[in-house]
Amino acid sequence: MKETVLSTCEKEFVPKAISEGRRLDSRNLLEYRKLQIVYGGDWGCCMVSLGKTKVLAQASCEIQQPKSTRPNEGILFVNVEFSPMGAPHFEIGRPTDAAVQCNRLLEKCLKESRCVDLESLCIVADEKVWQVRVDVSILNHDGALVDAASIAALAALAHFRRPDVTLDGEERSSRARFSSSFTPSSPYLKNVVVDPAVLEERTAEAQIVVGINAYRELTALHLGGTGSPATNQLVMHCASLAAVRAMEVVRMMKDELAKDAEARVQKSPVGFVQSMDLEKVTTLSHEAMVTALGQLNMNVKMEEGGGDAASEGSVGESAVNDMIVESVGENSAELVPENDRRPKLDAVALCVDTIGSGGPSTWGGKEEDEEPSSEEEEVQVVAQLSPSSKPKPPVEEIELSESEEEEIHTLQPEEMNLDKGLEDQSDDEIMVSKQNTAQKKGRKKRKKKNGDNICK
Amino acid sequence: MKVKVGDVVVPGDIAEEISRVKSETKCVLGPGLRRFSENVIVCKSGIFRKKNPNTYWVDSHQRKYIPVRGESVVGVVVNKSGDIFKVDIGASELASLAYTSFEGATKKNRPDVKLGDVLYAKLKIASLDMEPELECVDSKGKQSGMGVVADDGFLFTCSINVVRKILSPKCPLLKTLGKEIPHEIAVGMNGKVWLKARSIKETIALANAILATEYITNEETNAMCCRIIEALQEVN
Amino acid sequence: MAAMAEDQHVLRKMFCEFDVLSCPDGSAMKYRNRSCLRPNKLIIDKACVEAVYRPKVGQPRVADKTKEKMIGNTCSSAILSTLYPRTSVSIILQEMQNSGGLMACAINAAYLALIRSGIAMKFLVAAVTCGITKDDKVILDPDLNKVKDCHTELMFAFDSIDFNIVAVDSSGQYTEEQYQKALSLCKEASNEIFDFYRNLVKKYACCI
C-alpha cells in the first residue's frame, strides 16, 4: 500500500501556520509532545509514547563468539522494525529508505556514545561474549520516529538485566553502564520546529537529527532535506536545543526506572496493564484528545495574553515570539515559559478530563485479585535467574552513571567541569579524570583514555 | 443472544423483533444486519437502532470508508490519466472522476483541476465489485456546491463516527461555533473534512474541536462549545 | 490479572483498550497483544484475510508463521468475506508481554480489533487456554508459573452462537477424558470472554 498523497492545502497550511508560530496540535514551535515511558513486566522491555507516536523496545542478550577484530568486546545490535502496524505503507521485509536510515542512525548513536560498556560484556576473550540485542518496533507512526525509537532503545537498555555468568556458577547482576543519548529532530530551516508530527515532518523543508547525550556530547548528526543549506548557527542552535531535551529525557527515564524498581521491591504489579486506567474509555489515546481540547483552550488563553498583558501568567503571543528569536546560548530562557505553562495545561486537562472519560466501567471488580499472581511471577523471574544468591533489591543495581546530575540545570560550557566531576563521582568504573576541558575535542580524547583504563 | 432495539449488540446476536414483522409489510435492513434463514442476524458490533415504521440498522464504529452510492465525499486528486482523475477518498482503492463530470465541462472546455487539489464530490457508482466513481454535478447538471474547494484551508481526517456525529441535526457543534467563528467547511462522509476559517488560528481551533467530539456526548459538546465561545467573547 | 481461587477454574482478568493507534482502521490493546487492521486491495472475489504476528525479540520464525496461519484461519471463519471483494484484511499482532496463553490471547486480540474496525462478521470467537498438570488436574488459563507444572497445554476457540469449536491447538499428551474435561471447562469459560467483548462494546458505545 502506498503512502497517502498530501493535498496542496495541507502542504501550504502547515508551513504557513508555522511561520505564524502555530502548530496543528497548538504546541508552540519549541514545545515537545508529552513523553511517556512505560516499563513492561519483562526486564528490558518498555513502551515509549511521544504524543501519538508509539514505540516498543525489548532488549535481550545471547552468548556469541566475538568479532575477530575485537576479541574482548561484546556486540551491540540494534534492529528497528517498521511493521505495518505503525503505518499502512510500512511493509514487512521491505524496509523503506526512512526505515534503513532510522536503523543506522540509532545504531550509530548508541554505539558511538558508548552508552553500553562493550568490554564488560566479554565473558572469555576471543571465545564468548554477550551480544546485546535491542529490538525496536514501531507501533504507531506520528512523526519523530527517531526520537521515540532512541528513547525507547535507551530505556530498554537501562531497564535490562543481563545474567552474569561465571565459570563455576550463575549469578544475576547488571553491570552494563548507560549514559544517555537522545536525538531530537528539527525540520524547517527558517523556523526550527522540534518533535514534528507526521504532517509537519512531511511538509518540512529539511530535517536535522541530533544525537546527543546528557553531557552535551554529540553522538550523531544527520542533515537531510531539500531546503537551503543549513548554517553554522542553525546546527549549533539545534544541538543546544537537543542538549536541554536530552537532560529532560534522561531525568524522566530515571524517574520512571526508579518508580519501576520501587514497584518491584514492593511486589506491586508492574507492566503495561498498570498504564491502563480501567475507569476510563481511553487511557493511552486519551492523551491526544486532552491535548487537542486543552490546547484549544490554551489557544484562547494566548489571545488573552496578547490582548491584555496583565492577565495573570498566561503566555502571551509576544512571549512565544520572543522565544523563537532568542539566541542560541539562552536555553534556560527558552525553558522557563514552558515550565510556566505546564501547571496551566494540567489545570485545563483536569477540567477536560471529565469530558470523554466515559464514566467508570461497570464490569469487572476483581482488581484486588490481580496482584498476588503477578507478584508471584516476579519472584519467579528473580529466582530463575539467581539460583545461588538471594535477590537484591533492584534499586541498588540501577546504575545510571549520571545519577547525581539531576540538580544541575544550567548548561553553560563553564559548568561542564562541574557536571563531569559529579559524574565521575557517581561512576565507579571510570577513573577520576585528569583533565577537564570543556572542549569537545579534549573530551573525546579523554574518553579514549578511559577506555584504555577499562582495558587494563 | 436475542436483542431488542437500543441494545448493544455484537455479531451473532439475533434480532428477534424483525422476525416478528409481518411478512406483507416492507422492512428495511440497514448496515450491520443480514438475513440468515428465518432470522435476522447482527453482523457488526454497536448499537441496534430502529426508525419507524420498519427500518433497522446497527450503529457501529468505523474508520475505513466503504463507498456508498450517493454519499458526498471529500477527496484529494492524486493522479491524472487520460480523461480520468484518480481521487483518494480514503477507501481501499482510488475513485475515478471523469473530466466531463463538472458543471459546463466539455471535451474542449476542460475543468481546471491540478494534482493535490481537494474535491467535494458525490459518489456516482459505488459497488463492491467495481471501482468507485465520482461526479461533481447534480442531476440537473449544476455544480450545487461540489467541485474543487479553495486552495487554502486545511484538510484533516477523522473517524466516520465523528462525521456522522457533527452532521447529525442534534449535534450543536457546528451551529453554535458557526455563529461565533465564520467558516467554510466541507464534510465528506468518508471522514475527510476540509475547513477554512478567517485565520489559521481559528482553523486550528475548529479542527481540534471537531476531533475532540469523538469521545464526548452531545451535552458535553454543548458545554465545550459554550466554553470556547465564552473564552472568545472574553477576548473580543 | 488472575484469580487465586482454590479450584483454579477462573480466567485471569482481561484488559483491552481500543483506538490506541491512530493509523490503522481498528486497533485494540490487550494485555499482551495489540492488533490493527486495514482492508486494502487485492485481486480476488472475496476478502483475503491475513494475519501478521510479530514476536517481541528477533525475526519471526517458523513457529510464529504457524501462529499467523492459525490466527488467520480462525479469523477468516467468522469474517463475512464475500461482503468485501477485492480487499485484503490484514491483522497485525505484536507481542508485548508473554504471561502464558499467548495463542488464545492473540486470537482474542485479533477479534477485538475486528470488532473495532467495524468489519461484518458472522459471529465472534473466544479462545481459552487450559493446562493439564503433572498430577492430572486441569487448570484454566495457566500463567507462566503454572505452565511449568503442566505437561500439556490445550487451546480451544469457540464461536459465540452455538459454542462450536473453531480451532484447537494442543501440545503434549492427554487422554480423551482429559480432553473432554478441558473442553467443557473452556467452553464454560468462553462465556466470560464473550461477556467481556460485549461489555467493551458497551463501554465504547458513547462514541458511536
Side-chain angles (χ1 to χ4, degrees):
Chain A
M1 203 165 142
K2 275 187 201 156
E3 197 172 7
T4 50
V5 179
L6 282 188
S7 64
T8 324
C9 68
E10 282 169 291
K11 269 184 217 154
E12 282 171 8
F13 185 83
V14 178
K16 220 192 284 171
I18 283 181
S19 64
E20 272 189 30
R22 287 176 199 289
R23 297 170 77 172
L24 294 181
D25 41 10
S26 306
R27 285 179 283 163
N28 62 44
L29 298 188
L30 298 179
E31 193 177 335
Y32 295 88
R33 285 175 288 183
K34 193 179 170 199
L35 172 67
Q36 205 182 359
I37 303 171
V38 185
Y39 290 103
D42 300 339
W43 288 112
C45 179
C46 83
M47 187 170 77
V48 166
S49 46
L50 196 63
K52 277 190 226 155
T53 300
K54 284 185 174 42
V55 168
L56 175 82
Q58 168 77 56
S60 56
C61 66
E62 56 184 352
I63 297 176
Q64 274 208 339
Q65 203 168 4
K67 286 177 191 155
S68 52
T69 46
R70 305 200 170 217
N72 58 346
E73 276 189 15
I75 303 163
L76 178 67
F77 181 78
V78 185
N79 179 36
V80 186
E81 200 63 56
F82 283 63
S83 78
M85 183 179 278
H89 65 271
F90 294 153
E91 275 171 72
I92 285 185
R94 246 198 292 170
T96 56
D97 290 351
V100 176
Q101 198 186 66
C102 177
N103 206 343
R104 292 280 301 124
L105 209 59
L106 201 60
E107 198 170 345
K108 203 163 71 178
C109 198
L110 288 176
K111 278 185 182 163
E112 298 294 303
S113 70
R114 294 164 163 261
C115 69
V116 178
D117 184 6
L118 289 179
E119 271 146 19
S120 74
L121 294 177
C122 174
I123 304 166
V124 183
D126 222 0
E127 276 176 34
K128 284 189 169 73
V129 292
W130 286 110
Q131 185 198 41
V132 176
R133 183 191 168 104
V134 189
D135 284 279
V136 181
S137 17
I138 309 289
L139 301 181
N140 199 31
H141 173 31
D142 190 28
L145 280 184
V146 187
D147 289 37
S150 66
I151 297 170
L154 199 72
L157 279 173
H159 190 240
F160 184 54
R161 297 283 172 277
R162 162 174 65 81
D164 208 2
V165 185
T166 53
L167 285 176
D168 42 29
E170 277 195 14
E171 196 191 337
R172 168 179 154 271
S173 83
S174 105
R175 220 183 284 148
R177 208 171 62 76
F178 300 105
S179 72
S180 56
S181 61
F182 169 70
T183 56
S185 40
S186 355
Y188 292 102
L189 287 181
K190 253 188 195 159
N191 303 295
V192 175
V193 172
V194 296
D195 190 11
V198 70
L199 202 55
E200 291 165 334
E201 216 167 53
R202 291 182 64 187
T203 51
E205 275 183 352
Q207 198 172 31
I208 298 181
V209 180
V210 185
I212 198 160
N213 65 18
Y215 325 123
R216 294 177 71 96
E217 289 170 338
L218 275 179
T219 54
L221 182 66
H222 179 83
L223 293 134
T226 53
S228 49
T231 57
N232 217 341
Q233 286 97 338
L234 186 92
V235 176
M236 286 306 289
H237 184 184
C238 291
S240 57
L241 283 176
V244 178
R245 173 70 168 167
M247 301 257 293
E248 260 177 65
V249 168
V250 169
R251 196 182 313 143
M252 176 159 176
M253 205 183 283
K254 279 191 303 190
D255 286 351
E256 290 295 323
L257 209 54
K259 256 186 241 164
D260 179 76
E262 200 178 320
R264 279 169 197 269
V265 170
Q266 288 171 355
K267 304 272 158 46
S268 54
V270 286
F272 296 123
V273 178
Q274 303 313 314
S275 70
M276 294 164 76
D277 185 349
L278 297 174
E279 294 294 304
K280 289 193 185 130
V281 180
T282 47
T283 51
L284 295 172
S285 55
H286 194 229
E287 220 41 66
M289 194 195 67
V290 168
T291 338
L293 253 182
Q295 302 216 336
L296 170 71
N297 294 0
M298 283 276 308
N299 245 357
V300 175
K301 265 186 194 152
M302 274 194 223
E303 286 170 42
E304 287 167 8
D308 176 18
S311 67
E312 45 94 24
S314 64
V315 188
E317 273 171 277
S318 52
V320 178
N321 290 340
D322 278 351
M323 285 203 313
I324 303 152
V325 187
E326 217 142 29
S327 62
V328 181
E330 285 159 36
N331 293 312
S332 50
E334 276 159 355
L335 269 180
V336 172
E338 217 182 320
N339 292 341
D340 272 354
R341 296 167 66 119
R342 227 158 247 156
K344 193 161 277 172
L345 233 179
D346 287 346
V348 175
L350 270 182
C351 75
V352 167
D353 252 349
T354 49
I355 290 185
S357 57
S361 58
T362 46
W363 54 281
K366 285 179 207 154
E367 273 159 65
E368 294 89 13
D369 300 2
E370 144 201 353
E371 284 164 32
S373 114
S374 149
E375 169 191 325
E376 210 176 75
E377 198 178 296
E378 286 323 313
V379 171
Q380 186 258 327
V381 169
V382 168
Q384 184 193 355
L385 288 168
S386 58
S388 56
S389 68
K390 268 200 168 184
K392 290 178 253 170
V395 186
E396 287 176 16
E397 290 165 6
I398 293 172
E399 217 181 286
L400 278 166
S401 44
E402 69 299 327
S403 56
E404 275 158 62
E405 217 177 34
E406 261 179 276
E407 292 93 9
I408 297 149
H409 295 286
T410 35
L411 272 166
Q412 300 308 315
E414 301 88 82
E415 307 221 34
M416 290 312 293
N417 295 345
L418 183 58
D419 281 8
K420 205 59 201 173
L422 279 173
E423 179 217 329
D424 285 331
Q425 273 174 25
S426 68
D427 193 333
D428 40 335
E429 283 178 14
I430 292 190
M431 305 296 127
V432 178
S433 59
K434 286 159 203 161
Q435 71 215 63
N436 281 339
T437 39
Q439 242 88 73
K440 269 179 196 145
K441 268 188 194 167
R443 288 161 63 70
K444 271 205 180 136
K445 266 187 210 155
R446 213 189 116 250
K447 231 174 150 187
K448 270 186 197 155
K449 258 188 200 164
N450 283 332
D452 294 340
N453 280 344
I454 295 163
C455 275
K456 283 164 201 166
Chain B
M1 199 174 136
K2 286 164 184 157
V3 289
K4 48 186 195 298
V5 173
D7 277 358
V8 167
V9 293
V10 294
D13 287 346
I14 300 166
E16 214 185 12
E17 197 178 320
I18 306 176
S19 330
R20 287 202 302 265
V21 173
K22 282 184 205 123
S23 52
E24 58 269 26
T25 49
K26 198 177 157 192
C27 181
V28 182
L29 296 186
L33 295 171
R34 59 190 277 276
R35 260 181 77 176
F36 184 74
S37 66
E38 292 292 285
N39 295 319
V40 175
I41 307 270
V42 174
C43 61
K44 282 186 185 179
S45 50
I47 303 168
F48 186 33
R49 305 240 193 235
K50 179 191 181 181
K51 194 177 165 192
N52 283 329
N54 283 321
T55 306
Y56 297 89
W57 74 96
V58 176
D59 254 351
S60 62
H61 182 270
Q62 199 176 331
R63 273 164 90 169
K64 189 86 193 171
Y65 181 63
I66 295 167
V68 178
R69 194 170 156 256
E71 278 189 347
S72 302
V73 293
V74 171
V76 183
V77 181
V78 294
N79 205 353
K80 268 191 216 182
S81 56
D83 290 347
I84 286 174
F85 298 113
K86 289 281 178 195
V87 185
D88 176 18
I89 56 167
S92 57
E93 57 186 326
L94 301 177
S96 62
L97 171 67
Y99 270 94
T100 45
S101 307
F102 288 86
E103 185 185 318
T106 56
K107 274 211 158 173
K108 280 194 179 156
N109 180 21
R110 293 199 159 190
D112 178 32
V113 179
K114 295 184 287 299
L115 289 190
D117 273 354
V118 179
L119 281 166
Y120 184 64
K122 204 192 250 172
L123 278 160
K124 188 160 77 176
I125 296 174
S127 135
L128 293 172
D129 303 297
M130 280 169 68
E131 200 183 56
E133 209 175 310
L134 299 170
E135 59 177 357
C136 286
V137 283
D138 61 7
S139 53
K140 295 181 193 98
K142 292 276 174 263
Q143 97 182 48
S144 64
M146 288 181 284
V148 179
V149 301
D151 274 353
D152 42 359
F154 182 56
L155 179 77
F156 63 95
T157 312
C158 52
S159 87
I160 288 164
N161 298 76
V162 170
V163 168
R164 287 189 198 140
K165 205 178 225 171
I166 60 171
L167 286 182
S168 88
K170 284 182 215 141
C171 180
L173 182 88
L174 291 178
K175 273 182 239 158
T176 14
L177 286 181
K179 278 180 206 146
E180 297 298 323
I181 313 172
H183 60 272
E184 265 184 89
I185 191 167
V187 186
M189 286 308 292
N190 56 346
K192 287 189 191 289
V193 179
W194 173 85
L195 185 71
K196 186 191 167 190
R198 282 175 302 192
S199 66
I200 282 174
K201 181 172 68 189
E202 282 179 356
T203 309
I204 293 176
L206 274 172
N208 280 340
I210 290 171
L211 287 174
T213 49
E214 173 145 24
Y215 294 102
I216 62 182
T217 61
N218 278 340
E219 292 81 56
E220 284 167 331
T221 313
N222 228 340
M224 184 182 77
C225 290
C226 288
R227 236 173 28 221
I228 293 168
I229 287 165
E230 265 172 39
L232 272 172
Q233 275 164 351
E234 274 172 40
V235 182
N236 297 334
Chain C
M1 197 177 65
M4 296 297 282
E6 186 54 40
D7 55 0
Q8 313 268 317
H9 289 180
V10 192
L11 287 176
R12 282 178 283 171
K13 197 168 169 185
M14 290 168 289
F15 301 96
C16 175
E17 186 171 337
F18 282 143
D19 287 349
V20 183
L21 311 177
S22 66
C23 294
D25 305 312
S27 76
M29 177 172 173
K30 265 202 78 185
Y31 180 30
R32 285 149 287 185
N33 284 35
R34 179 192 275 238
S35 53
C36 53
L37 173 146
R38 70 197 157 114
N40 64 18
K41 197 165 136 190
L42 206 101
I43 317 301
I44 199 162
D45 60 341
K46 55 178 194 169
C48 153
V49 182
E50 55 161 9
V52 177
Y53 178 87
R54 311 256 353 141
K56 203 158 63 160
V57 175
Q59 294 299 316
R61 289 155 202 259
V62 176
D64 299 314
K65 291 279 169 207
T66 324
K67 276 196 192 111
E68 277 178 11
K69 196 85 189 148
M70 182 140 178
I71 297 164
N73 283 344
T74 316
C75 291
S76 58
S77 65
I79 294 175
L80 283 162
S81 47
T82 43
L83 290 184
Y84 305 97
R86 303 189 307 146
T87 49
S88 99
V89 180
S90 317
I91 301 157
I92 299 132
L93 295 136
Q94 169 75 50
E95 176 195 344
M96 296 187 79
Q97 190 174 334
N98 184 359
S99 325
L102 199 63
M103 193 60 206
C105 182
I107 291 177
N108 292 341
Y111 269 90
L112 284 165
L114 289 172
I115 288 177
R116 191 55 174 170
S117 69
I119 273 203
M121 285 184 283
K122 281 179 257 181
F123 46 75
L124 294 176
V125 169
V128 188
T129 312
C130 70
I132 302 170
T133 55
K134 281 164 193 146
D135 42 355
D136 288 340
K137 266 202 305 194
V138 181
I139 54 168
L140 209 55
D141 198 15
D143 61 19
L144 277 187
N145 285 330
K146 290 181 201 142
V147 165
K148 286 214 185 66
D149 302 331
C150 298
H151 58 81
T152 301
E153 259 188 90
L154 286 155
M155 192 277 299
F156 298 97
F158 303 96
D159 76 55
S160 65
I161 299 179
D162 305 321
F163 297 95
N164 290 331
I165 301 171
V166 182
V168 186
D169 183 33
S170 72
S171 61
Q173 285 185 330
Y174 47 88
T175 63
E176 204 177 322
E177 194 187 322
Q178 280 168 338
Y179 177 85
Q180 291 299 346
K181 195 180 170 200
L183 179 63
S184 61
L185 210 62
C186 289
K187 199 177 262 185
E188 222 170 277
S190 68
N191 258 318
E192 209 174 304
I193 296 176
F194 290 125
D195 286 345
F196 174 73
Y197 287 162
R198 193 179 293 272
N199 283 319
L200 212 58
V201 176
K202 207 173 276 174
K203 197 170 155 191
Y204 281 83
C206 69
C207 54
I208 292 174

